[in-house]
Amino acid sequence: MKNLFGLTLAELEAELAPLPKFRAKQIAAHIYKHGMKTFDAMNDLPKNLRAEFSTRFEIKTAELLKRLDSSDGLTTKFLLGLSDGAAVEVVLMRHDYGNSVCISSQVGCQMGCKFCASTLKGLERNLTAAEMLGEIFFVNEILDNVVDSVVVMGTGEPLMNYDELIKMLRLLHEDYCLGMSYRKITISTCGIVPAIKKLRDEKIPVTLSVSLHAPDDKLRSALMPINSAFGLKSLLEAGDDYAQATGRRVTYEYILLGGVNDTEEHARRLAKILSGQLANVNLIPFNPVVERSFSPPTNHAVKKFFHFLNTHGIGATIRKEMGADVNAACGQLRAKIKT
Ligand code: SAH
């Protein structure tokens, strides 16, 4: 059966042709505004049409396999099952400024970053736009329609799944869907330079987050294999260019790995390469991943790094880690929940 969830209005119209276009509008409203999963309750459709649709179509999002609530009372991790048996994790974070959902863009990841759990088993497959949207809708339903912002920062490299990602973002933004402002959406990338350039030209001013993690090519290549394909110079140029074109400040994420990239000298070099950019830095103290041998930084090192950047012209924040007790923090997501 054809799944209607995740289709755009134009796709729904094509699917329902030769029925008049207003039928597609009605169905879009039922699916995206009213969260309906069956056709029976779609009272504005004639009964015979409802019956026919029930035999031809389905409205399917994801199935809950497991839910883990962090003891912080603010973070919940969901393991969702997809139609082919694959599973992805999605994390809900209740901040004082609103509810944010962190979604996955792929099952597994091929990027091979040395500190991350999501890439340990490689890439299984890309998620479709419908599946990514389904992650958001799943949480939205649980929250009674109060997802305020979306971060594409879960498992996977979103810019390696470019077309489906863009389709999902445009759909999410549509008034007949959640009507989410692009400003409430953040895409995090390990630095796929050509895709950053393409994203700049899409005219969808989402916030770009770039996982930087090192202030020089040698260290960055050792931590992140992608750096051998697209080095720091081209990445920073693409980031600057994105900021100029969209007017949106780029966030550079910087994991602090104890004794590896967390000294004052690293902070100095980081401030130097980012000087003059419309950018800020989000420091992420390393979250332990059992298979990885890195250590978290000391509190002292975090504070010193933070202070150095802020007193040398670079706005920096320290990421408040949420959900580490249920392995829901950055870099701890994987396809199976082991906790
Ligand atoms: N592929 C994208 C999005 C997923 S990772 C990207 O690379 O940006 C989301 C963020 O978590 C990235 O900044 C990533 O580098 C960071 N991260 C990965 N493993 C981590 C860990 N063990 N501790 C803290 N942050 C981690």
Side-chain angles (χ1 to χ4, degrees):
M1 266 203 277
K2 173 87 184 174
N3 185 9
L4 297 188
F5 184 85
L7 297 192
T8 63
L9 193 56
E11 287 170 335
L12 280 172
E13 283 168 4
E15 199 60 52
L16 301 181
L19 288 174
K21 290 186 173 174
F22 74 89
R23 291 286 178 220
K25 270 210 182 83
Q26 288 174 314
I27 297 215
H30 287 311
I31 296 178
Y32 300 125
K33 293 282 182 218
H34 314 137
M36 287 192 188
K37 300 276 163 44
T38 61
F39 297 93
D40 327 328
M42 297 188 180
N43 290 328
D44 52 359
L45 301 181
K47 264 201 170 136
N48 62 335
L49 217 47
R50 282 185 252 166
E52 183 201 324
F53 286 172
S54 305
T55 62
R56 285 172 62 196
F57 305 124
E58 60 184 357
I59 304 166
K60 251 182 105 176
T61 50
E63 180 199 349
L64 178 64
L65 298 179
K66 192 162 180 173
R67 170 180 175 145
L68 288 169
D69 289 283
S70 165
S71 58
D72 64 13
L74 302 172
T75 313
T76 306
K77 177 161 91 165
F78 304 94
L79 182 69
L80 301 182
L82 306 174
S83 54
D84 65 346
V88 283
E89 291 185 327
V90 49
V91 182
L92 159 63
M93 291 161 289
R94 301 166 186 87
H95 300 287
D96 38 13
Y97 53 84
N99 296 312
S100 172
V101 183
C102 175
I103 64 163
S104 296
S105 55
Q106 298 180 310
V107 183
C109 182
Q110 77 209 95
M111 306 317 298
C113 297
K114 298 288 184 254
F115 39 77
C116 185
S118 301
T119 194
L120 286 164
K121 288 191 181 146
L123 176 69
E124 214 173 291
R125 70 169 173 87
N126 279 332
L127 293 182
T128 63
E131 287 169 332
M132 287 183 264
L133 191 71
E135 296 179 60
I136 300 164
F137 267 69
F138 179 86
V139 177
N140 202 38
E141 215 165 280
I142 289 203
L143 282 176
D144 236 357
N145 292 319
V146 277
V147 166
D148 298 296
S149 59
V150 170
V151 294
V152 190
M153 244 184 227
T155 300
E157 169 47 48
L159 296 188
M160 292 297 278
N161 186 12
Y162 189 86
D163 292 345
E164 292 296 307
L165 174 79
I166 300 298
K167 181 179 174 192
M168 185 278 287
L169 296 177
R170 290 192 190 283
L171 186 50
L172 185 61
H173 179 70
E174 290 287 355
D175 281 338
Y176 62 82
C177 193
L178 290 191
M180 188 170 288
S181 154
Y182 288 125
R183 290 172 179 263
K184 300 275 186 169
I185 304 172
T186 299
I187 307 296
S188 181
T189 177
C190 65
I192 316 294
V193 170
I196 294 175
K197 292 183 178 162
K198 220 167 141 189
L199 183 65
R200 173 200 64 196
D201 297 332
E202 298 282 353
K203 303 271 176 284
I204 50 174
V206 293
T207 302
L208 183 69
S209 258
V210 175
S211 294
L212 203 61
H213 307 330
D216 61 77
D217 278 316
K218 189 160 175 259
L219 181 56
R220 192 164 191 271
S221 295
L223 297 172
M224 303 174 72
I226 189 65
N227 195 65
S228 310
F230 308 111
L232 266 179
K233 187 167 178 288
S234 66
L235 179 57
L236 292 170
E237 273 168 17
D240 197 29
D241 201 28
Y242 187 87
Q244 299 300 333
T246 58
R248 312 278 295 136
R249 192 173 287 275
V250 171
T251 300
Y252 287 95
E253 295 159 279
Y254 192 99
I255 298 189
L256 290 166
L257 301 161
V260 175
N261 66 352
D262 65 342
T263 67
E264 187 167 309
E265 180 51 28
H266 292 106
R268 186 186 314 282
R269 280 191 262 152
L270 182 60
K272 190 163 174 220
I273 60 171
L274 291 180
S275 78
Q277 291 230 17
L278 184 60
N280 49 25
V281 170
N282 191 211
L283 298 171
I284 319 174
F286 174 68
N287 293 309
V289 170
V290 278
E291 296 88 342
R292 305 300 200 188
S293 55
F294 297 107
S295 318
T298 62
N299 280 342
H300 180 66
V302 175
K303 282 199 186 121
K304 250 179 98 178
F305 207 98
F306 169 77
H307 181 73
F308 187 93
L309 291 179
N310 280 310
T311 51
H312 288 78
I314 307 291
T317 48
I318 300 172
R319 185 170 297 179
K320 187 173 153 228
E321 272 321 328
M322 300 176 76
D325 60 333
V326 291
N327 281 330
C330 293
Q332 294 184 315
L333 299 184
R334 51 184 94 215
K336 296 256 174 332
I337 291 185
K338 288 188 178 153
T339 327

